[in-house]
Amino acid sequence: MHKAQVVAAGPIFLDIVSYGLKHAPVPGEEQWVDGGEIMAGGVANQAVACARLGLDVNILTAFGTDRAGRWVRELLDGEDVRFDGSTTVERQSVTIAQFFDGDRALTTWGEDGAPLPPADMPAPDYLLASVPYLSAARDTVRRWREAGTTVIVDSCWDPAQKWDLENMAPIAEADIFVPNEVECLKYTQEDCCFKGAAKFLEAVPAMVITRGERGAIVAERGAMAAELGSSRGDEPAGGAPPYTEPTFIELPAITVKALDTTGAGDSFTAGLVRGLVAGASLVEAAVLGQVTAAWTVERPGGSASAPTSEELVRWADSGQLRSADSDTLRRAEGQGARHVPNPADVIRRLLG
């Protein structure tokens, strides 16, 4: 396998994670829990997950010059992640994550920015970034896409709760958009993901909607999965190819008992990239993303629980890796059905 070069851009945090809370924190109460982890978070979740799957990863971020920032660097030193083009700030951003009632409560201080790519940075095979970052780095992103970079973008939670769809306009600079189900529905103001995806596909050629225990939906314009971006040379920089009728494929979830969902979306993206590098279709790459995320949520922490390729292969060979519905693959709009890609078979073929 060609060791694909990946640039992951975004803020980095020192993550302090507690899991096993019996209830939400109460003022004046000390609650002892089952355990926790301290790790590098934010963009480090994607970077470490990609590196452990055998990809060559460089992050664009801002490290604190304080003790916490030095600690974050030390945590990443053993993960074979490069920091070319990264900058520094006075204080390291920190997030405290507490897991209870099936979800996380986050408390964060610091900054959420990341530096733009240096002018002389060569185009990577893949760029992983958020919607706001694509907007800020538009000129570089367009130049990289012209040079062959595949751009994968995730959306972001809107703390103002306005969910303005116009804020998602930068996804036109991407090849694949990876929102979660809540973000898809909130931004499009639709009552189902298929309708929401149809709106987004007017701007971006392909997307994967992650839905947690409800699985995932792969949505594409027509049959673009076979040759993602093959028409890029005929389109204007940053422009989207002509819109065609979308195809939707619904993937069932991987059967797991979630302990901590920190970094699940980042692990999904890492698995997706690793699948594409191996030559998989977008559907099979999404299955690899699901398996990578499923491994992560069964363990505490984000980057600390990212799997290696060898660990995923052993899971596949154990007979314990299966999807919630391993027999049928549902398609929207009555487009028919076919067998779901068996996750264990996908792992063995792509990583074995």
Side-chain angles (χ1 to χ4, degrees):
M1 180 197 77
H2 161 64
K3 194 168 186 179
Q5 296 180 337
V6 177
V7 167
I12 196 166
F13 303 88
L14 176 64
D15 275 4
I16 303 171
V17 180
S18 296
Y19 63 91
L21 277 73
K22 297 179 177 60
H23 55 75
V26 176
E29 177 189 69
E30 180 180 17
Q31 187 178 167
W32 283 81
V33 297
D34 297 334
E37 292 285 347
I38 298 176
M39 73 212 76
V43 70
N45 290 331
Q46 285 185 338
V48 171
C50 285
R52 290 186 181 181
L53 291 177
L55 304 174
D56 179 7
V57 188
N58 183 71
I59 57 174
L60 287 171
T61 193
F63 293 96
T65 57
D66 56 359
R67 182 176 297 178
R70 293 194 296 273
W71 195 3
V72 169
R73 285 177 178 264
E74 290 175 8
L75 290 169
L76 292 177
D77 277 344
E79 298 291 350
D80 200 21
V81 174
R82 293 180 288 110
F83 316 132
D84 303 339
S86 289
T87 57
T88 58
V89 292
E90 184 176 354
R91 295 188 64 196
Q92 178 62 53
S93 300
V94 176
T95 291
I96 298 173
Q98 295 174 297
F99 190 86
F100 56 92
D101 292 343
D103 207 343
R104 298 165 298 157
L106 306 178
T107 304
T108 300
W109 72 81
E111 303 180 19
D112 63 355
L116 297 180
D120 59 350
M121 178 173 282
D125 294 304
Y126 292 86
L127 169 65
L128 311 181
S130 66
V131 170
Y133 192 87
L134 287 195
S135 180
R138 181 178 286 110
D139 291 344
T140 299
V141 172
R142 289 181 175 180
R143 175 169 56 84
W144 282 358
R145 287 188 77 202
E146 288 179 346
T149 299
T150 296
V151 177
I152 301 178
V153 60
D154 55 50
S155 54
C156 53
W157 187 260
D158 183 0
Q161 299 287 302
K162 293 182 178 179
W163 305 106
D164 188 348
L165 185 58
E166 291 186 1
N167 291 337
M168 294 295 104
I171 67 173
E173 310 293 342
D175 297 287
I176 305 173
F177 180 38
V178 189
N180 62 40
E181 181 176 29
V182 173
E183 293 163 343
C184 177
L185 298 179
K186 290 285 189 180
Y187 277 113
T188 61
Q189 297 299 301
E190 293 290 355
D191 59 1
C192 79
C193 286
F194 300 109
K195 295 178 182 178
K199 285 187 176 180
F200 282 127
L201 289 176
E202 294 177 10
V204 67
M207 61 187 297
V208 183
I209 304 168
T210 58
R211 308 169 76 195
E213 62 183 15
R214 289 160 55 82
I217 295 174
V218 178
E220 304 175 84
R221 291 192 192 132
M224 295 192 70
E227 296 185 26
L228 178 63
S230 61
S231 63
R232 185 178 302 151
D234 299 325
E235 66 190 59
Y243 181 78
T244 59
E245 285 298 316
T247 298
F248 303 108
I249 298 177
E250 186 175 0
L251 298 174
I254 304 300
T255 302
V256 293
K257 184 176 180 180
L259 173 64
D260 181 358
T261 58
T262 303
D266 297 319
S267 290
F268 178 92
T269 299
L272 181 76
V273 173
R274 180 61 176 82
L276 295 175
V277 169
S281 68
L282 186 57
V283 171
E284 287 197 327
V287 171
L288 178 51
Q290 288 183 293
V291 174
T292 307
W295 174 282
T296 300
V297 302
E298 283 197 317
R299 294 157 180 82
S303 61
S305 61
T308 64
S309 296
E310 293 74 16
E311 286 171 327
L312 294 183
V313 171
R314 287 197 294 270
W315 191 16
D317 290 340
S318 71
Q320 301 301 309
L321 173 58
R322 55 176 62 90
S323 62
D325 179 359
S326 59
D327 298 319
T328 59
L329 179 63
R330 299 177 297 280
R331 286 173 176 264
E333 305 299 334
Q335 295 181 59
R338 66 183 183 184
H339 291 312
V340 176
N342 182 295
D345 291 343
V346 169
I347 295 305
R348 284 190 287 263
R349 187 172 69 80
L350 297 181
L351 302 183

